[in-house]
């Protein structure tokens, strides 16, 4: 599967914006990651930086754009696959960068900062509402969300990305994290669930 641009949206769930002391945005906050940040969760060890402060997990629904997006394109026509992903974030570094007004790239774009489950066929926006997505860390559910809690829905995100940057086959979108983000440690086992179904697991090495 050929992945091109990795777009991400920040603060797309109100309770998560609040837990970090951020205001709820009036328009979507976008950032992106280099493709070198990508890896797939295949029961392997995933190595993360050891010398840059706390690393937080952010569990997110990831959309795969399968067709060129045009004016008026509908989500269900252009999104062909989906997965779950972790948007790993160097939180101390991100706070520092934010305070200086610097870009987030170093806090969000490091190697292995985007861990994806395998993609599956997109069932349609309506159908996505029927499943919560959740992250289990060492046997405990630490994050759980549903797209109904999003501030900007899939269609709004896609409209904005299309207008501002263009969207085409192979682009993927991290659609934001629900509350419950928190630090990871060496040897943590992370498992991503779509409803009751396990979609991917991996172990962290730091
Ligand atoms: Zn995120």
């Amino acid at each position: 599967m050929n992945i091109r641009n990795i777009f991400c949206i920040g603060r797309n769930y109100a309770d998560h914006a609040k837990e970090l002391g951020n205001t709820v945005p009036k328009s979507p906050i976008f950032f992106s990651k280099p493709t070198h940040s990508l890896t797939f969760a295949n029961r392997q060890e995933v190595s993360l930086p050891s010398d840059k402060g706390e690393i937080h997990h952010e569990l997110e629904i990831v959309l795969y754009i399968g067709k060129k997006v045009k004016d008026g394109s509908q989500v269900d026509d252009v999104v062909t696959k989906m997965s779950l992903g972790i948007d790993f974030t160097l939180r101390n570094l991100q706070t520092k960068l934010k305070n200086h007004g610097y870009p987030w790239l170093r806090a969000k774009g490091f190697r292995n900062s985007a861990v994806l489950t395998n993609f599956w066929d997109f069932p349609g926006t309506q159908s996505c509402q029927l499943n919560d997505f959740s992250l289990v860390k060492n046997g405990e559910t630490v994050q759980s969300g549903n797209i109904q809690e999003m501030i900007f829905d899939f269609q709004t995100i896609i409209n904005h990305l299309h207008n501002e940057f263009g969207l085409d086959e192979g682009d993927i979108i991290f659609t934001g994290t629900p509350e419950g983000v928190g630090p990871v440690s060496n040897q943590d086992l992370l498992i991503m669930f779509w409803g009751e179904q396990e979609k991917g697991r991996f172990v962290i090495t730091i």
Side-chain angles (χ1 to χ4, degrees):
M1 170 172 263
N2 189 25
I3 291 177
R4 296 176 76 192
N5 298 293
I6 306 171
F7 292 109
C8 308
I9 174 167
R11 299 178 210 166
N12 200 26
Y13 289 77
D15 289 343
H16 167 62
K18 285 180 201 146
E19 78 182 342
L20 293 184
N22 291 314
T23 51
V24 174
K26 293 201 170 58
S27 68
I29 296 169
F30 292 118
F31 60 96
S32 69
K33 290 177 182 261
T35 49
H36 300 306
S37 66
L38 273 182
T39 190
F40 283 86
N42 288 320
R43 298 177 165 259
Q44 82 280 42
E45 294 199 328
V46 170
S47 165
L48 297 175
S50 60
D51 55 351
K52 296 191 172 67
E54 264 187 14
I55 306 166
H56 278 196
H57 53 75
E58 296 190 355
L59 175 71
E60 315 202 2
I61 290 176
V62 179
L63 302 179
Y64 180 86
I65 302 293
K67 286 179 203 161
K68 186 171 180 60
V69 176
K70 300 181 181 135
D71 291 351
S73 288
Q74 296 300 299
V75 173
D76 291 0
D77 295 328
V78 293
V79 173
T80 53
K81 291 179 182 299
M82 67 181 291
S83 79
L84 295 175
I86 310 278
D87 163 22
F88 279 118
T89 305
L90 285 160
R91 190 69 72 201
N92 304 138
L93 181 58
Q94 186 196 30
T95 304
K96 246 187 240 172
L97 295 170
K98 269 191 212 163
N99 291 341
H100 284 92
Y102 293 160
W104 294 359
L105 181 60
R106 286 203 166 104
K108 292 279 201 181
F110 52 93
R111 281 187 196 84
N112 295 337
S113 63
V115 183
L116 296 178
T117 70
N118 288 326
F119 284 88
W120 67 93
D121 288 341
F122 184 63
T125 308
Q126 286 288 93
S127 170
C128 280
Q129 299 182 356
L130 303 175
N131 283 302
D132 289 349
F133 58 107
S134 56
L135 177 66
V136 174
K137 183 177 93 169
N138 303 328
E140 185 196 344
T141 301
V142 288
Q143 288 195 269
S144 178
N146 188 291
I147 64 164
Q148 295 173 81
E149 300 151 8
M150 296 174 103
I151 300 168
F152 303 105
D153 62 14
F154 291 158
Q155 188 68 55
T156 306
I157 294 171
I158 284 174
N159 292 349
H160 274 269
L161 286 173
H162 164 63
N163 287 333
E164 293 182 54
F165 310 106
L167 272 179
D168 206 339
E169 184 180 348
D171 292 341
I172 64 171
I173 309 168
F174 278 75
T175 57
T177 192
E179 76 271 24
V181 302
V184 291
S185 310
N186 190 39
Q187 292 303 311
D188 279 351
L189 169 65
L190 298 185
I191 309 179
M192 294 175 263
F193 284 90
W194 178 243
E196 300 293 307
Q197 205 183 348
E198 178 179 330
K199 287 296 190 181
R201 63 167 69 194
F202 61 100
V203 172
I204 288 171
T205 57
I206 294 178

